Amino acid sequence: DRKANRIKLNAKGRMFAETLSLAFDQTNAVISEITALEQPKREITLLVLARRGWITDLVIQYQKQHPEISFRMSHNGAVTDRSTFDIIIDEQSERYIGYTHFVLMTEKLCIKAHKDSPFAGKQLTVSHLQTAPFIMMDKTTTMRQILQKHSMRCNFTPNIVVECEDRHCLLKCVNAGLGLTVGTVSALSDPLELDMVPLDVSDFCETQTICLYHRQRHKEDTGISDFVEFLLENGSEQKQS
């Protein structure tokens, strides 16, 4: 309505203005969301509790291809709040409620020893290892729990002569001939395990399934989703090999 030198909205004008205001707010919100999706995440945080060496190699490979992406990795299994990580690599578990997960690989496990071990080259059962010395990680690790399960089945307590928290320390002790350990068959191709052999233990048949866990909300983040696809592709290759 025009009055003298002024223009003022009438009732219909105010109704139209309110509708336009809502439309502009919604449009700006959608534009902000689209802009955020188009921008790759600059940092991806990972909690890597399994296959650390393999995941590290993949991070190196991916970062060389995508220098705009940075990574922050933790290997601390004692972390209580795991929701702060974009991606978690761990054994298959029911502890990750609310996470989307994919199986990266399933690996065969074995009992290993230095190639000069008196147990190497013999046909064995778990019961033959009642007094054998073992080099193991702490009681919370899957490998230790698997050993404990088999020893309980055969009514003995495993003879742990060295317990350590570091894989390199563990392998060094095994390579020095101090004892046996439990691990993946595939890791025997690692340079650190070239002098180690799998023991022929007929009643030890175990596998380990490694999964990738992430929050559902991360599916809309192009930086994370692209890296997840990269890991899944390489996990598939690892399964086939």
Side-chain angles (χ1 to χ4, degrees):
D1 294 331
R2 183 183 296 276
K3 291 184 179 180
N5 295 325
R6 288 178 27 182
I7 296 178
K8 183 180 180 181
L9 288 178
N10 56 28
K12 294 179 180 179
R14 288 193 297 273
M15 184 185 300
F16 191 57
E18 289 175 2
T19 302
L20 285 179
S21 178
L22 291 173
F24 285 141
D25 289 342
Q26 292 176 351
T27 301
N28 289 333
V30 170
I31 291 174
S32 297
E33 290 180 11
I34 292 174
T35 302
L37 290 175
E38 289 177 342
Q39 297 298 321
K41 185 177 177 66
R42 294 300 174 184
E43 180 183 76
I44 298 177
T45 57
L46 295 97
L47 178 61
V48 184
L49 302 178
R51 292 305 305 266
R52 298 178 184 182
W54 178 64
I55 294 297
T56 300
D57 289 341
L58 291 180
V59 166
I60 293 171
Q61 182 181 340
Y62 187 85
Q63 210 282 325
K64 286 181 178 180
Q65 298 173 5
H66 302 272
E68 75 280 4
I69 304 293
S70 62
F71 291 89
R72 180 164 55 86
M73 288 192 289
S74 172
H75 304 105
N76 183 7
V79 172
T80 54
D81 184 9
R82 300 184 176 184
S83 64
T84 59
F85 294 94
D86 299 320
I87 295 171
I88 300 173
I89 308 296
D90 199 359
E91 299 157 11
Q92 194 168 43
S93 170
E94 296 181 358
R95 77 181 71 177
Y96 297 107
I97 299 173
Y99 287 78
T100 299
H101 80 277
F102 302 95
V103 173
L104 287 177
M105 65 184 70
T106 299
E107 301 181 290
K108 185 177 179 181
L109 303 181
C110 66
I111 298 177
K112 311 178 182 184
H114 186 268
K115 62 184 179 182
D116 294 331
S117 167
F119 294 99
K122 294 181 178 180
Q123 291 184 335
L124 305 165
T125 63
V126 173
S127 61
H128 289 133
L129 306 176
Q130 291 187 39
T131 60
F134 276 89
I135 318 295
M136 299 298 296
M137 297 284 196
D138 66 72
K139 295 179 180 179
T140 64
T141 61
T142 298
M143 302 302 174
R144 179 72 172 269
Q145 292 170 2
I146 288 173
L147 176 62
Q148 188 70 31
K149 179 184 75 172
H150 281 274
S151 62
M152 287 179 63
R153 175 175 58 82
C154 296
N155 298 313
F156 71 90
T157 301
N159 178 24
I160 310 295
V161 296
V162 178
E163 180 180 292
C164 54
E165 298 178 351
D166 179 74
R167 178 174 177 263
H168 287 77
C169 174
L170 183 150
L171 296 179
K172 194 169 184 178
C173 290
V174 176
N175 281 320
L178 296 186
L180 316 179
T181 194
V182 179
T184 62
V185 173
S186 62
L188 289 166
S189 61
D190 188 310
L192 296 172
E193 298 195 22
L194 293 182
D195 289 331
M196 294 166 59
V197 293
L199 299 184
D200 183 7
V201 184
S202 60
D203 56 346
F204 185 88
C205 301
E206 294 283 347
T207 58
Q208 179 188 45
T209 299
I210 306 300
C211 292
L212 180 155
Y213 300 88
H214 71 99
R215 292 288 190 179
Q216 188 72 16
R217 65 177 183 270
H218 294 152
K219 293 180 67 175
E220 301 302 323
D221 189 306
T222 55
I224 295 175
S225 60
D226 184 67
F227 183 62
V228 167
E229 289 298 320
F230 175 79
L231 292 179
L232 292 177
E233 289 174 6
N234 283 274
S236 298
E237 293 173 6
Q238 190 84 1
K239 290 178 199 173
Q240 293 171 5
S241 61

